[in-house]
Amino acid sequence: MDVARLSARGAEGRSRTAAENHREESAELAEVRAQLRELQQTIEAIRTGGVDSLIVGPPGQEQVYALATADRSYRLIVEAMNEGAATVSTRGVILDANPRLGSMTGQNASELIGTPVLDLIPAAHRPAFARLLDVGAGDSARGEVDLTGSGGTTVPVLLAVSGFDLDGMLLRCLVLTDLTAQRAAESQVSTLTAELEARVKQRTAELERSNKNLQAFTYSVAHDLSTPLRALSGFSEVMLEEYGELLGETGRGYAGRITAASERMATVIDDLLRLSQVSRADLNLVPVDLSAEVVAIADGLRSRDPGRRVSFAIQDGVWVTADRILIRAVLENLVENAWKFTARRDDATIEFAATTDDKATVCCYVRDNGVGFDPAYVDKLFQPFQRLHAACEFPGTGTGTGIGLVSVQRIIERHGGRTWAQGAVNGGATFYFTLGAPLGS
């Protein structure tokens, strides 16, 4: 009985050990099955394109396995890009790179995979590069850095970094644009700019010398030519007064022509001097009431020629910003021309007013109903010494030298404006000018 009981106890102990072994084996089998399921899922993801690379190995010794067949359409786009592109892991390892990045760094794209991205950057630029690379999911950064190119050269690039989350893993997408051509163009532009500035300085110096020569010429004209002309005119008058009877009618005619020619020449010289002064005088811009100036000019013309009956229509309140002396000269030339060329009309009218042109600048005009001009010759109006009417057509009004309208044009151009005219034979004329400042300014 004792033996039987011992035998029973021994059998019971052996039964408990077998059960424990069975449970351990079942647990190990379950773990293996779980690993198999995980491997099957990974294989299925690889097969269907769910992943395009695997990272295997302990930290710091990762090995990257990329799949060329995964997401082929995406890869075709990236490989065709003219910019370098790379995907970088959380630890800064290059997971993928396109051929352009390889050519920028003098390597094959496959050689870049699995290497630290910082290896692409010269040591001096790595801190700045690391700051750009430090972006979170959904963030981005841009900046300029240098890449290490082939043979120890550097390649300036514009770096764009974007962070994104892939199943809980932070990845960064890098796009690098080669700035070599842009830098070369900038250098060329800088060189051209420096050359242009040097040329401008040279031209400015030449212009200053020309202005000095013009001033010297002006002085010479004012003194060296005017003085003998006055003498010529004076001696001609003396000769007529003291020896007129001895000269006879023909001689007196010649002497009169000498006097008239010398006076004419003196007038031309004076007009040229005024034109030179107009071109060089400094502008003193102040508010000017053009309406009041035209009224004063009209009153002066009436006083000089009280026998004329001319109707003036002058718009009130035309204010501009201009040089008072020069703009007065413009108005005098235009109004006096209108006065002269309406001399044959009993119902002469002269109008001054302002409107706006297409650029909303001040646009003034002086209009008359005088003899007008042939529109075919309008371009001659603003050329020196060009006259469309002979002096004999308007006796008693001055011969004119053809300088007045040229002065008008020069003055208006110096104010940033322009001049033009409209007219018809026996249909009057209208002269316009703008001053480049909005009405009411």
Side-chain angles (χ1 to χ4, degrees), residues 85-86 94 96-115 120 148-150:
I94 298 177
D96 194 14
N98 70 344
R100 176 58 177 153
L101 182 58
S103 65
M104 291 168 65
T105 57
Q107 304 178 61
N108 292 326
S110 59
E111 295 174 349
L112 298 176
I113 297 174
T115 62
L120 303 180
T148 300
S150 60

Side-chain angles (χ1 to χ4, degrees), residues 309-366:
R309 293 291 181 266
V310 179
S311 174
F312 279 89
I314 302 172
Q315 179 181 332
D316 292 332
V318 180
W319 284 82
V320 299
T321 299
D323 184 289
R324 185 183 300 277
I325 295 176
L326 294 181
I327 202 65
R328 170 76 181 222
V330 168
L331 296 173
E332 285 178 345
N333 272 293
L334 296 180
V335 175
E336 288 177 1
N337 271 355
W339 179 273
K340 176 193 297 186
F341 294 115
T342 56
R344 296 178 180 177
R345 298 191 65 95
D346 295 331
D347 60 343
T349 60
I350 299 174
E351 177 186 359
F352 169 78
T355 181
T356 56
D357 67 357
D358 295 339
K359 298 181 180 179
T361 55
V362 173
C363 180
C364 301
Y365 62 87
V366 175

Side-chain angles (χ1 to χ4, degrees), residues 34-56 65 67 70 167:
Q35 292 176 354
L36 287 174
R37 283 195 300 271
E38 183 178 355
L39 289 173
Q40 288 175 347
Q41 292 174 356
T42 302
I43 292 171
E44 181 64 19
I46 294 173
R47 187 183 66 81
T48 59
V51 297
D52 61 358
S53 60
L54 295 175
I55 303 175
V56 180
Y65 298 90
L67 304 177
D167 296 332

